[in-house]
Structures are given as C-alpha cells and as structure tokens.
Amino acid sequence: MHYDYSMTEEISGYKTVKRLAVERPDWLPIVRECLDFTKEYKADFAGSWIFERVQRKSGKGFSNLRLLVSFGILKKEGTSRAGRRAYYTIVDPEGVERALDELN
C-alpha cells in the first residue's frame, strides 16, 4: 500500500480545526483572528495582539492561546518582554483556512 506523506501535512490544520469545532466551537473566532492576522501581516503574532482584535470585534476574551497549541493549530515560536509575551505561528494556514471556510 502506498502512503502519500504530503497529504498528512496538507490536512493537519484542516483536521485539527474540524476537531476544535466539535470540542471547543467557541474558539473558532479566535482561530479566524489568528489566520486573518497571519494573512494581513505575514508575520508571527503575540497572543495579546489577537486578544485585542477579538475583544474589539466581539467583546469576548480568552486567557491565552495554549489551547490552540495543544490542538496543533498554533506553534509557539518564542517569547520576549522578559518572557512575558509569547509569539505564535499557524502550523498549516491553508488547511486551517479551508476548514474555517467549510464551517462558515
């Protein structure tokens, strides 16, 4: 049996967002903000920046982005400000976007 490893990478963000939609649908708008930020600035982002964007749009907040890291949607890239600000990237932006588009 032939296994296409390239498909694994391609669908990982897709699958994790679909799983998040079942287990924690309240986090989908936060994933969308992370994706929008990534597309807009083409850069890593701090959790506090996403928090501000979500707060401004919906009035809702969250404590940190660790849940999205544990799901495999985000990857922590490092910290600054004496270790108080974490920076993140989306592991598979194309897969994440495809899943979010299907869910909306």
Side-chain angles (χ1 to χ4, degrees):
M1 173 153 80
H2 175 70
Y3 184 65
D4 185 2
Y5 290 98
S6 64
M7 287 299 291
T8 305
E9 286 301 309
E10 184 180 326
I11 62 173
S12 64
Y14 177 86
K15 281 185 174 180
T16 56
V17 170
K18 290 289 196 159
R19 190 176 124 224
L20 183 74
V22 171
E23 296 179 23
R24 295 298 306 267
D26 54 316
W27 278 77
L28 292 175
I30 298 164
V31 174
R32 174 58 76 181
E33 277 308 316
C34 293
L35 181 66
D36 290 350
F37 186 95
T38 298
K39 289 169 66 175
E40 188 176 337
Y41 294 102
K42 299 185 181 9
D44 297 357
F45 51 86
S48 61
W49 302 343
I50 302 303
F51 180 89
E52 289 169 11
R53 290 169 66 113
V54 169
Q55 185 96 44
R56 191 170 52 243
K57 288 184 179 179
S58 69
K60 296 179 182 175
F62 55 92
S63 56
N64 58 56
L65 295 173
R66 284 188 211 125
L67 178 77
L68 300 182
V69 173
S70 70
F71 267 77
I73 295 168
L74 300 183
K75 178 181 171 194
K76 187 174 175 182
E77 294 296 343
T79 57
S80 73
R81 295 230 173 162
R84 287 182 285 167
R85 176 175 281 170
Y87 289 89
Y88 302 89
T89 57
I90 296 180
V91 175
D92 174 19
E94 294 82 15
V96 167
E97 183 168 30
R98 198 166 79 238
L100 287 173
D101 289 348
E102 281 183 17
L103 290 165
N104 284 337

